[in-house]
Amino acid sequence: MNRKKLLALLGSLLFLLLLGACSKSNAADEKVTIYTNADEEPVEVIKNVLDKNGYKGKYTLQSFGTSELGGKLLAEGKNIEADLVTMSTFYLNSAQKKDKMFKELTLPVESLTKIPDYTAPFTVQEGTIFYNTDVMKEMNLPIPTSLKDLADPKYKDALSISDIKQSSTAWLLFQALVDNYGEDEAKTILKGIYKNAGDHLESSGSGPLKKVRLGEVAIGFGLRHQAVKDKQDGLPIDFVEPSEGTYTLTESLAVINKGDKTNPEAEKMLDLILEKGRKDILEIYPSALYKDEQVDSAHVANDQKVFPTELTAELLEQHQKLID
């Protein structure tokens, strides 16, 4: 090999090494993109933790509805723009089975239960019945004691629920009915509930409570922690632990595995959110997920339940057909 060719070859190798080094450096320097389906409260916790611990201006956070983000995860897989996601755990499970798209994690805290090695549970969503005490008196309505009661014609046009095709909160209602009464009877009960809700079918899990606060309807089904807070804040809101039980869903953090393009800051942010954010999260969602977490027992549901079959996007689709 002559001198010119040797120098050209060495130059090419040096260029490739520098290019590789720059690529790795750029991956670490790039802003972390966070996609989330979380409600306003946990989103604020995430922002506060990151901003107060050296990450202000180093991430972008974009919120989606559960079904929208779930669709992106299942359709785009590892090609999704996000580096870090917070999402309903059942969607993460289905996405991982489909595309092996999440990075294996070593968490800085010890989970109380066995969890997949690619998820970091962050919140526990609970569904419950709530009502506006003033409107209930005005309409002379009895307080329902079960989810099945919500199908009673006496509650026609007085009820608001969220749409299971847009909100995972609604699935908590469906799970409770299917688990307690079976799919056939659940379908009949749901027909009555949807008839009573009429035009008060909301796209978000927090939608029904907003209508109940405003007095547009007397009763709603939605997120328990929001109703608890309203009552504590002195609003005319109260809630009922349904006789069928208080069913739950977890939402988890996960890092997208993009191979050499995986942003190393994403997992650092995930660890930080768990270590620094869970204390504040427990004040909103009072369910312990990790060892040594303390929860005010007065805020814990009396009969917390989990659907007996593994929750997946496919099971959600099956339950959605109960109202078709």
Side-chain angles (χ1 to χ4, degrees):
M1 184 179 294
N2 61 38
R3 181 182 177 83
K4 288 184 178 180
K5 288 184 178 180
L6 180 60
L7 289 173
L9 179 60
L10 290 173
S12 297
L13 289 172
L14 180 60
F15 175 77
L16 290 173
L17 288 171
L18 289 172
L19 184 63
C22 287
S23 297
K24 291 181 180 179
S25 176
N26 289 339
D29 292 340
E30 287 177 358
K31 284 186 177 182
V32 171
T33 300
I34 304 172
Y35 282 179
T36 180
N37 76 320
D39 296 307
E40 294 176 7
E41 303 98 330
V43 167
E44 285 305 308
V45 171
I46 290 171
K47 288 180 178 178
N48 288 337
V49 167
L50 295 178
D51 290 351
K52 291 178 180 179
N53 290 275
Y55 283 107
K56 190 169 185 177
K58 296 182 180 180
Y59 66 92
T60 58
L61 190 149
Q62 188 171 353
S63 293
F64 297 84
T66 299
S67 59
E68 183 182 5
L69 182 51
K72 286 181 72 67
L73 288 168
L74 294 173
E76 298 176 21
K78 294 179 181 179
N79 295 319
I80 197 167
E81 184 180 353
D83 301 297
L84 174 65
V85 296
T86 84
M87 182 55 174
S88 301
T89 310
F90 70 87
Y91 263 121
L92 297 180
N93 292 341
S94 292
Q96 182 73 350
K97 288 178 182 178
K98 181 176 181 291
D99 202 34
K100 301 292 182 184
M101 63 181 291
F102 302 116
K103 186 177 184 295
E104 183 177 332
L105 303 171
T106 302
L107 302 183
V109 287
E110 184 179 344
S111 175
L112 293 175
T113 59
K114 186 177 180 180
I115 57 175
D117 60 12
Y118 53 87
T119 65
F122 186 50
T123 63
V124 177
Q125 312 286 317
E126 298 174 317
T128 199
I129 300 168
F130 42 75
Y131 56 93
N132 185 309
T133 55
D134 293 339
V135 178
M136 292 290 282
K137 289 177 184 177
E138 290 172 10
M139 298 183 69
N140 195 29
L141 289 173
I143 297 170
T145 60
S146 70
L147 298 172
K148 188 176 182 179
D149 286 347
L150 299 181
D152 192 309
K154 68 167 67 80
Y155 297 118
K156 182 170 172 53
D157 298 323
L159 172 68
S160 180
I161 62 172
S162 54
D163 182 4
I164 191 172
K165 294 186 178 180
Q166 300 183 72
S167 167
S168 60
T169 302
W171 197 16
L172 295 168
L173 170 65
F174 282 57
Q175 288 176 32
L177 293 176
V178 170
D179 194 22
N180 283 272
Y181 306 109
E183 286 197 7
D184 289 342
E185 188 174 354
K187 189 171 184 176
T188 301
I189 296 169
L190 285 165
K191 185 176 181 180
I193 289 175
Y194 270 70
K195 185 175 181 179
N196 286 344
D199 294 332
H200 301 298
L201 186 66
E202 300 299 305
S203 61
S204 72
S206 58
L209 183 57
K210 290 177 181 177
K211 287 207 163 185
V212 172
R213 281 181 193 142
L214 293 171
E216 293 184 30
V217 293
I219 307 166
F221 177 88
L223 296 170
R224 182 181 183 275
H225 75 274
Q226 293 178 337
V228 171
K229 185 177 186 301
D230 275 10
K231 182 177 180 179
Q232 290 175 335
D233 289 346
L235 297 178
I237 300 294
D238 208 341
F239 59 96
V240 178
E241 303 283 0
S243 61
E244 292 91 351
T246 300
Y247 281 71
T248 65
L249 287 169
T250 61
E251 293 187 350
S252 296
L253 296 147
V255 174
I256 310 299
N257 184 0
K258 299 182 178 182
D260 292 340
K261 295 182 180 179
T262 302
N263 193 320
E265 297 301 307
E267 188 168 354
K268 293 178 184 178
M269 287 185 181
L270 181 150
D271 291 347
L272 184 62
I273 292 167
L274 285 185
E275 291 181 296
K276 302 286 188 179
R278 278 291 298 163
K279 183 179 179 181
D280 290 336
I281 286 294
L282 285 171
E283 294 181 6
I284 308 167
Y285 304 88
S287 296
L289 289 171
Y290 298 98
K291 187 177 179 181
D292 299 326
E293 289 187 336
Q294 301 298 317
V295 180
D296 185 342
S297 60
H299 296 164
V300 178
N302 295 323
D303 188 19
Q304 196 179 79
K305 290 184 177 180
V306 177
F307 195 70
T309 303
E310 181 187 11
L311 300 180
T312 62
E314 293 74 23
L315 182 62
L316 172 60
E317 288 181 6
Q318 178 182 326
H319 285 175
Q320 287 173 339
K321 293 176 182 177
L322 294 174
I323 56 167
D324 288 342

